[in-house]
Amino acid sequence: MKRNYKVLSLLLLLAFASCSFTSKKFSNPDKDKLLIQIITFVIEQGHFDPIAIDDAFSEELFEDFVEVMDPVKRYFYKSDYEDFAKFKHIIDDQLKVTDITFFNVVHDRFLKRIEESKEIYKEILSQPFDYSIDESFDTNYENTDFVKNKKEMKDRWRKQLKFSTLSNYDDILDEEKRLKEKDPSYIMKSIEQIEKEAREATLRSINIYFEDYIDDQKREDWFALYVNTIVEEFDPHTYYLAPKGKEDFDQRMSGKLEGIGARLQKRMDYIKIVELISGGPAWRNKELEVEDVILKVKQEDEQFPVDIVGMRINDAIKYIKGPKGTKVTLTVKKVDGTIKDVTITRDVVEVFDTYAKSSIVEKDGKKFGIIDLPAFYVDFEDYKNINAAKDVKHEIERLKEEGMEGLVLDLRNNGGGSLPTVVDMAGLFIKDGPIVQVRSTNEPKEVLKDRDKSIVWDGPLVILVNEISASASEILAAAMQDYKRAIIIGSKQTYGKGTVQNVINLNNMIRTNTSGDLGALALTRQKYYRINGGSVQLEGVKSDITVPGRFSFIDVGEKDKENPLPYDEIDAADYTPWEYYFDYDATITKSKQRMSNNEQLKLIEENAKWVKSKIDETVFSLNYQTYKAQVEANELESKKYDAITNYNSDLTFDSTRFEKQLIAQDTTDLKEKRKRWHESLSKDVYVEEALNVLEDLKTAYPIKKVASTVQK
């Protein structure tokens, strides 16, 4: 069964809301049982759409927890699975009486199999691999079953280890060839030496994996994994934060990220980069990209890297994170299939680097502005001074001082944030009125409105989105679309997250807690709806002008997750569409005609399809010659897409006068950050088309139209 692994970044829609539950006394001397008691109570009482904890739930939980414990099926045997299956339809009954026998049985068996695995992998790696044999390895473990005996288990480990060692072998051989080319007198290592070194590197890596990760895990860590598996059955955004996870959560919310400045996600057994933090070390390094897969991690004081394929994401992060100033080398697999080492100096990433920023650009004698908004950030303790809506307002005012005639608001890769902030921000573009509707279980809907009649920007507006634009980004895009206030350019649809979460400190559920820190629960409490009554849940926001992108054919949305809440509709709110009429239909038609002849966009779409085909390839040859031929073929094929990164619109972007004053006084690297951002904007075909659309809107004379109120 396909698992839903969490993005490290909070793609939550944080709401100002309190969680109140029916009073109940919790008392159990066993911390594990106490936690089960509280978790099940909170979810059943507080979840927006709680599912029944019955036999169907029990069966799903059974399959998911076994998969979480052994995702690559290299520990448990078929007989183990059959033993566990005795609990398949009674876990629900156990949970109701805080019985954790199922967990205990799986956990105990897991520890036993771990010890056996240590002997197996050491034995396998003590013997040379034969890379001339024609055999293959399937990295999609859904296609494989549990092994029946120790012979099959050894063969499974052998293929997995051989596959891991193959890349080491290739790296060492390539390095030897480079040294020989550089110095003809250099005596290359023998194939036997290279094979032995490759195996030794794999052995060191897997030893570290077991010693630093598996052996370091306590029972409470595995139990937290079980609790998280339970709550994830309710929806993709309800999850358990163990005490350590809650600490990391609080650190992220405080606005400081220490490490490489990248947000990661686990897909199957691979760690992928899903976002680079603007201004962070990885962003400055220029070598990492979204969708790169991190295969290995090497510290600056270590000779060999640690293989993180198959690791739990929290444990992989322990290797990637580190103190400011230290270096880490990541072995990454690029989306085109190529493998490269990237060395990054860790640093502290401040929230400032993720704040809204703006730029001015002149096109055909007209000045346009662009505002990049990475997140709908907020400081709940200082909302008036630190929130995205306030900053965007200031950026608009500065752009207006520059003579801006049209505005692009870039919400691509914006995973959301504060609900009050998005309501305030939408109010910058309309006179007043409803922005979003929120509904809780068995309660009347609440219509959140902009009540400030002032308008900060009443000119042409384009909003850029993609498949990663989620939550608060979808609320803003949907509201502007419903008001006919902006043209939305981007992916076929946005992420499709229409739910609201609250983080509940479980320690507050007990009057006197003698069991230690119980952690927290991110709980889905509400759903939000467009003012036209529709939901963005699963469906997302459909762009007015659809453009191909690198995620066009990749499963990244809410609809591709496990256990998402369904799409539904409610009554529309009372709202009046934008009173000034720009010829939207004609503008959209002209844009579509332009893009149909745009060779850059055609190449981007072709590349997106190719990337999808590479992702779908899960069977790899363990014959070195075949493997190497495929690697070289991928590298050659990828070169035809170099034109995507080499593209340049010849547009020149510049900072506002206000920001230039900041740059003149700045002692950090703000000037370099803006220079790099402006360079990326000039290479951005989507921004170029957004400016074309603004130009079309500007030349279409705006006339005041008869207001028509949409009623519920």
Side-chain angles (χ1 to χ4, degrees), residues 34 47 142 232 264 365 398 404 437 468 534 540 573 621 654 683:
L34 176 64
H47 194 275
E142 292 181 3
E232 280 187 334
L264 310 175
R398 290 160 190 157
M404 174 178 69
Q437 304 186 90
I468 311 300
S621 175
D654 199 4
K683 294 175 174 291

Side-chain angles (χ1 to χ4, degrees), residues 10 12-17 249-250 252-255 351 355 376-388 416-422 424 472 500-503:
L10 263 184
L12 298 178
L13 189 67
L14 298 175
F16 288 127
F249 171 91
D250 292 338
R252 290 196 299 276
M253 289 304 291
S254 73
V351 163
Y355 282 179
F376 287 80
Y377 52 85
V378 63
D379 184 335
F380 289 116
E381 296 181 359
D382 191 14
Y383 184 83
K384 287 186 178 181
N385 293 314
I386 303 176
N387 72 80
S418 163
L419 181 57
T421 299
V422 71
D424 288 347
V500 183
Q501 284 73 38
N502 296 128
V503 178

Side-chain angles (χ1 to χ4, degrees), residues 267 272 291 554 610-618:
R267 297 177 188 165
K272 287 194 174 185
E291 285 298 306
I554 301 175
W610 181 73
V611 168
K612 171 62 172 161
S613 72
K614 297 293 110 182
I615 291 173
D616 290 341
E617 289 179 4
T618 62

Side-chain angles (χ1 to χ4, degrees), residues 457-524:
W457 177 248
D458 62 0
L461 177 64
V462 166
I463 295 178
L464 286 174
V465 297
N466 63 5
E467 292 86 352
I468 311 300
S469 303
S471 199
S473 293
E474 295 176 290
I475 290 177
L476 182 61
M480 295 301 97
Q481 193 175 59
D482 290 342
Y483 273 107
K484 274 290 202 180
R485 177 63 188 90
I487 287 181
I488 313 300
I489 300 179
S491 52
K492 184 178 179 181
Q493 72 165 73
T494 52
Y495 188 87
K497 180 184 181 294
T499 56
V500 183
Q501 284 73 38
N502 296 128
V503 178
I504 302 166
N505 188 329
L506 298 178
N507 299 293
N508 295 337
M509 302 296 295
I510 313 174
R511 290 182 179 177
T512 304
N513 181 12
T514 58
S515 299
D517 194 345
L518 296 173
L521 181 68
L523 181 66
T524 296

Side-chain angles (χ1 to χ4, degrees), residues 377-654:
Y377 52 85
V378 63
D379 184 335
F380 289 116
E381 296 181 359
D382 191 14
Y383 184 83
K384 287 186 178 181
N385 293 314
I386 303 176
N387 72 80
K390 171 179 172 289
D391 290 347
V392 167
K393 178 181 178 180
H394 288 328
E395 295 299 341
I396 292 174
E397 290 170 340
R398 290 160 190 157
L399 290 168
K400 285 166 66 175
E401 291 175 359
E402 301 284 343
M404 174 178 69
E405 299 180 59
L407 174 64
V408 178
L409 181 59
D410 192 351
L411 300 182
R412 290 174 297 176
N413 303 320
N414 184 320
S418 163
L419 181 57
T421 299
V422 71
V423 173
D424 288 347
M425 192 178 300
L428 303 176
F429 306 108
I430 62 170
K431 186 176 180 181
D432 58 8
I435 304 301
V436 63
Q437 304 186 90
V438 181
R439 186 169 68 86
S440 303
T441 304
N442 300 321
E443 292 184 17
K445 71 176 184 181
E446 180 183 6
V447 181
L448 304 184
K449 300 180 178 181
D450 165 44
R451 302 183 185 279
D452 184 348
K453 294 184 180 298
S454 64
I455 301 175
V456 178
W457 177 248
D458 62 0
L461 177 64
V462 166
I463 295 178
L464 286 174
V465 297
N466 63 5
E467 292 86 352
I468 311 300
S469 303
S471 199
S473 293
E474 295 176 290
I475 290 177
L476 182 61
M480 295 301 97
Q481 193 175 59
D482 290 342
Y483 273 107
K484 274 290 202 180
R485 177 63 188 90
I487 287 181
I488 313 300
I489 300 179
S491 52
K492 184 178 179 181
Q493 72 165 73
T494 52
Y495 188 87
K497 180 184 181 294
T499 56
V500 183
Q501 284 73 38
N502 296 128
V503 178
I504 302 166
N505 188 329
L506 298 178
N507 299 293
N508 295 337
M509 302 296 295
I510 313 174
R511 290 182 179 177
T512 304
N513 181 12
T514 58
S515 299
D517 194 345
L518 296 173
L521 181 68
L523 181 66
T524 296
R525 296 278 287 157
Q526 300 169 309
K527 285 179 76 173
Y528 68 82
Y529 299 82
R530 301 173 67 135
I531 55 177
N532 69 5
S535 173
V536 302
Q537 180 65 14
L538 304 183
E539 296 290 320
V541 177
K542 307 289 193 298
S543 294
D544 298 309
I545 301 170
T546 303
V547 292
R550 66 184 307 159
F551 302 110
S552 293
F553 304 98
I554 301 175
D555 299 334
V556 296
E558 180 87 353
K559 64 183 182 300
D560 303 303
K561 305 302 179 187
E562 276 201 359
N563 310 318
L565 295 187
Y567 172 88
D568 62 338
E569 299 178 0
I570 61 175
D571 293 337
D574 294 333
Y575 68 98
T576 302
W578 183 239
E579 61 181 347
Y580 286 98
Y581 179 74
F582 293 92
D583 198 342
Y584 284 96
D585 294 336
T587 300
I588 290 171
T589 299
K590 288 178 68 175
S591 177
K592 290 180 178 178
Q593 289 174 344
R594 264 193 309 269
M595 290 192 299
S596 66
N597 298 314
N598 190 307
E599 294 302 321
Q600 177 75 351
L601 290 175
K602 289 179 182 178
L603 189 62
I604 288 172
E605 183 170 28
E606 182 184 339
N607 178 241
K609 290 178 179 178
W610 181 73
V611 168
K612 171 62 172 161
S613 72
K614 297 293 110 182
I615 291 173
D616 290 341
E617 289 179 4
T618 62
V619 180
F620 299 91
S621 175
L622 296 179
N623 177 295
Y624 177 69
Q625 297 302 326
T626 305
Y627 166 85
K628 186 63 174 178
Q630 187 58 56
V631 169
E632 291 176 346
N634 286 343
E635 291 177 348
L636 182 63
E637 193 172 3
S638 69
K639 290 185 183 302
K640 69 178 180 180
Y641 302 115
D642 288 347
I644 294 175
T645 53
N646 295 334
Y647 179 80
N648 198 307
S649 67
D650 294 327
L651 293 170
T652 302
F653 294 81
D654 199 4

Side-chain angles (χ1 to χ4, degrees), residues 277-305:
I277 310 299
S278 177
W283 179 87
R284 295 195 299 265
N285 184 269
K286 298 185 181 182
E287 293 189 73
L288 291 180
E289 298 177 283
V290 170
E291 285 298 306
D292 283 351
V293 175
I294 302 177
L295 303 175
K296 302 174 185 177
V297 183
K298 185 173 77 70
Q299 311 305 323
E300 62 182 353
D301 58 348
E302 295 177 348
Q303 185 178 0
F304 297 99

Side-chain angles (χ1 to χ4, degrees), residues 658-693:
F658 173 83
E659 189 168 76
K660 285 179 178 178
Q661 292 175 353
L662 293 181
I663 290 173
Q665 302 168 5
D666 185 64
T667 57
T668 61
D669 55 356
L670 179 59
K671 181 178 181 179
E672 176 62 22
K673 291 176 185 177
R674 291 301 181 261
K675 177 184 175 183
R676 287 188 52 190
W677 182 47
H678 294 157
E679 288 175 351
S680 68
L681 289 175
S682 68
K683 294 175 174 291
D684 195 325
V685 67
Y686 308 106
V687 170
E688 182 182 21
E689 180 54 29
L691 296 174
N692 288 333
V693 169

